[in-house]
C-alpha cells in the first residue's frame, strides 16, 4: 500500500491521507488507525484532524490482509502567535458579504477558529462574513493553540433596501388582474406537466377548461430540440388567449445530474464541481449561458440554483447538487448564477427553502424532520436564501420538510 500525505501540519489542520495499491489496479478497502488519536484523529475515509501538538503515526492496512501495513509519521506544530488583529468593514447590508483580513504576529501556528456573537445576524466561513438581518454582532478570530490570543471586530448589519416597484408598475399589474376571472386568477397558481414534445390536445383542453397558467418541461418534453421552441410559442399563444397573460414556462436545468435540456443544450457540471473551481465568476458565466440557451427555446424560468447546504453526509438526494458544505460558499456561488440569469432575462427560482441539506430522508418518498434551532437555521440553512432574497431574486421554491423550530406540525 502506498501512502500520500503531509509530514508536518499545524494544530487545527484538516488533511487527508491518500492510500493506493501497488500495482495500482488492485481493488481493495483500507483500514486507518492513528497511534495517538489525542494528537491526530482519522476516520474511515482517511480524513485527519490535527488536535494538539506532538507526533503521531498513521497506519493503513488492507481490510483483506491486515499483515500488509504502511505508515506515515506526522508532526503537529502548535506554537501560538503573539497577537491577532482583524481588519475589514464594520458596516454591511443584510444579504451582502465582506472579506476580513487577518494580521497574525509571531508564532508558528497561524490557524484560527472563527466565531460570531449572534448567529442570527452574521455567519462566517474562512474570514468571509455574510450579513443575515439587522443588528450588531462581534466577529472573533481565536488561535487554535491558545484561546487567550484573539482578535475582534464589531460589525453592524443594516436592513437591505429592497428594490421596490414603481406605482406605475403596480397600477399596470392591477389593471390586468382586475380584468381576470376568478378561474384565471386561480389558474395562475398552477404549474402543470404534460407528455409529448408538442402542445397536446389534453394540454390545450386543460388550459381552456381550467385556465392553468404555467407549465413545466421535463426531460421527455425536450428530447427533440427542433420542436421545443415551436411548442413554447404555441403554449404562449394559447395562454394569452385563454388567460390574458403569458405563462411561466419552466424546467429544472441545474447542471450535473439534474438537467432536462440535454439534447440541444449544454450539460454543465454540478454545483459542487462549479464551487471546486474556486472562482465565483464562473457561476455568473454559467448563469448567463444557461439563461441564453433556455430563453432561445422559449423557457423563461429555471428551478435553479440549488441553495441547500450539503451539511449531512447521509443526504440521499442533494449531495453534488449543493455548492458546498458551508452556507457562505453556497450563497456566493448561488448569487452569481442568479445574477447571470437576471441580467439575461431568465427568472431564477432557487430551492429548496428553508433548506434540504441536513436530511437523511428523500422528501419525495417520506417527510423528513429537521430539529435544528432557529440560531442554527439562520447561520446555515437560511443564510443562502436570505442573501438571495436580499439581492432581489424573483421567486423561491419551498420544500416539504418539517422544521420543528418553525412549525412542529406542518411542512414548508
Amino acid at each position: 500500500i502506498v501512502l500520500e500525505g503531509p509530514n508536518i501540519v499545524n494544530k487545527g489542520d484538516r488533511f487527508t491521507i491518500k492510500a493506493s495499491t501497488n500495482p495500482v489496479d488492485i481493488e481493495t478497502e483500507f483500514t486507518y488507525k492513528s497511534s495517538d488519536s489525542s494528537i491526530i484523529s482519522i476516520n474511515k475515509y482517511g480524513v485527519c484532524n490535527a488536535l494538539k501538538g506532538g507526533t503521531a503515526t498513521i497506519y493503513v492496512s488492507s481490510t483483506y490482509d491486515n499483515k500488509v501495513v504502511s505508515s506515515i509519521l506526522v508532526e503537529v506544530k502548535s506554537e501560538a502567535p503573539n497577537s491577532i488583529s482583524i481588519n475589514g468593514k464594520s458596516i454591511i447590508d443584510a444579504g451582502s458579504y465582506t472579506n476580513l483580513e487577518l494580521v497574525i504576529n509571531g508564532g508558528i501556528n497561524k490557524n484560527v477558529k472563527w466565531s460570531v456573537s449572534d448567529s442570527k445576524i452574521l455567519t462566517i466561513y474562512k474570514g468571509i462574513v455574510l450579513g443575515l438581518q439587522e443588528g450588531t454582532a462581534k466577529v472573533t478570530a481565536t488561535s487554535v493553540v491558545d484561546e487567550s490570543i484573539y482578535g475582534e471586530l464589531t460589525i453592524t448589519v443594516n436592513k437591505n433596501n429592497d428594490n421596490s416597484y414603481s406605482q406605475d408598475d403596480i397600477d399596470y399589474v392591477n389593471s390586468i388582474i382586475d380584468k381576470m376571472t376568478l378561474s384565471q386568477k386561480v389558474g395562475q397558481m398552477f404549474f402543470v406537466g404534460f407528455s409529448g414534445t408538442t402542445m397536446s390536445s389534453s394540454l390545450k383542453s386543460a388550459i381552456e377548461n381550467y385556465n392553468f397558467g404555467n407549465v413545466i418541461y421535463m426531460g421527455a418534453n425536450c428530447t427533440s430540440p427542433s420542436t421545443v421552441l415551436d411548442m413554447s410559442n404555441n403554449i404562449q399563444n394559447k395562454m394569452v388567449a385563454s388567460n390574458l397573460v403569458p405563462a411561466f414556462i419552466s424546467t429544472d436545468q441545474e447542471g450535473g445530474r439534474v438537467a432536462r435540456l440535454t439534447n440541444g443544450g449544454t450539460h454543465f457540471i454540478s454545483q459542487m464541481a462549479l464551487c471546486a473551481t474556486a472562482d465565483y465568476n464562473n457561476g455568473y458565466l454559467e448563469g448567463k449561458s444557461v439563461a441564453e440557451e433556455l430563453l432561445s427555446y422559449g423557457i423563461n424560468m429555471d428551478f435553479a440554483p440549488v441553495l441547500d447546504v450539503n451539511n449531512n453526509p447521509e443526504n440521499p438526494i442533494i449531495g453534488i447538487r449543493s455548492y458546498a458544505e458551508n452556507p457562505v460558499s453556497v450563497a456566493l456561488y448561488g448569487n452569481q448564477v442568479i445574477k447571470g440569469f437576471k441580467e439575461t432575462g431568465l427568472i431564477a427560482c432557487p430551492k429548496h427553502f428553508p433548506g434540504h441539506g441536513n436530511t437523511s430522508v428523500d422528501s419525495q418518498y417520506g417527510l423528513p424532520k429537521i430539529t435544528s434551532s432557529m440560531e442554527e437555521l439562520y447561520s446555515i440553512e437560511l443564510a443562502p436564501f436570505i442573501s438571495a432574497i436580499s439581492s432581489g431574486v424573483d421567486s423561491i421554491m419551498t420544500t416539504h420538510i418539517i422544521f420543528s423550530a418553525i412549525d412542529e406540525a406542518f411542512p414548508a
Side-chain angles (χ1 to χ4, degrees), residues 92 95-98 100 114-133 137-139 155 157 309 325-332 375-387:
I92 61 175
S96 67
Y97 71 96
T98 184
L100 301 182
W114 294 94
S115 61
V116 297
S117 61
D118 192 332
S119 57
K120 286 186 176 182
I121 295 174
L122 297 173
T123 190
I124 188 167
Y125 177 73
K126 291 186 176 180
I128 305 174
V129 176
L130 182 65
L132 301 178
Q133 61 175 338
K138 187 180 294 182
V139 174
I155 297 179
V157 179
V309 180
E325 75 287 349
N326 73 85
V328 176
S329 294
V330 173
L332 299 187
E375 287 75 15
E376 291 170 329
L377 290 177
Y378 264 97
S379 61
I380 301 175
E381 276 79 11
L382 292 173
F385 291 100
I386 290 171
S387 184

Side-chain angles (χ1 to χ4, degrees), residues 95-239:
S96 67
Y97 71 96
T98 184
N99 288 288
L100 301 182
E101 177 191 6
L102 274 182
V103 179
I104 301 176
N105 297 312
I108 293 175
N109 193 306
K110 308 296 184 183
N111 287 334
V112 301
K113 54 183 178 182
W114 294 94
S115 61
V116 297
S117 61
D118 192 332
S119 57
K120 286 186 176 182
I121 295 174
L122 297 173
T123 190
I124 188 167
Y125 177 73
K126 291 186 176 180
I128 305 174
V129 176
L130 182 65
L132 301 178
Q133 61 175 338
E134 274 187 292
T136 299
K138 187 180 294 182
V139 174
T140 304
T142 306
S143 168
V144 299
V145 179
D146 186 343
E147 292 191 355
S148 68
I149 301 172
Y150 60 89
E152 293 181 336
L153 179 66
T154 299
I155 297 179
T156 298
V157 179
N158 292 328
K159 184 177 180 181
N160 186 287
N161 293 320
D162 296 329
N163 295 322
S164 58
Y165 294 100
S166 70
Q167 190 58 49
D168 287 344
D169 290 336
I170 295 171
D171 291 343
Y172 173 70
V173 171
N174 285 334
S175 70
I176 296 174
I177 293 176
D178 289 342
K179 299 174 185 176
M180 298 174 74
T181 65
L182 178 60
S183 178
Q184 289 171 332
K185 294 174 184 176
V186 172
Q188 290 300 305
M189 307 301 291
F190 286 84
F191 283 77
V192 296
F194 61 99
S195 60
T197 59
T198 61
M199 183 175 174
S200 64
S201 58
S202 60
L203 177 60
K204 180 180 178 182
S205 176
I207 297 170
E208 290 175 345
N209 295 330
Y210 302 106
N211 296 114
F212 288 135
N214 311 285
V215 298
I216 179 171
Y217 288 168
M218 304 302 288
N221 301 118
C222 303
T223 57
S224 175
S226 62
T227 64
V228 177
L229 181 58
D230 285 341
M231 178 170 62
S232 298
N233 288 335
N234 290 334
I235 288 172
Q236 289 293 24
N237 290 335
K238 187 62 184 175
M239 288 289 186

Side-chain angles (χ1 to χ4, degrees), residues 262-281:
T262 55
N263 183 12
T266 305
H267 197 160
F268 285 94
I269 58 177
S270 70
Q271 281 85 346
M272 190 174 289
L274 182 64
C275 183
T277 67
D279 186 348
Y280 301 132
N281 192 56

Side-chain angles (χ1 to χ4, degrees), residues 53-64:
T55 301
T57 301
I58 303 299
Y59 297 98
V60 182
S61 61
S62 167
T63 56
Y64 304 111

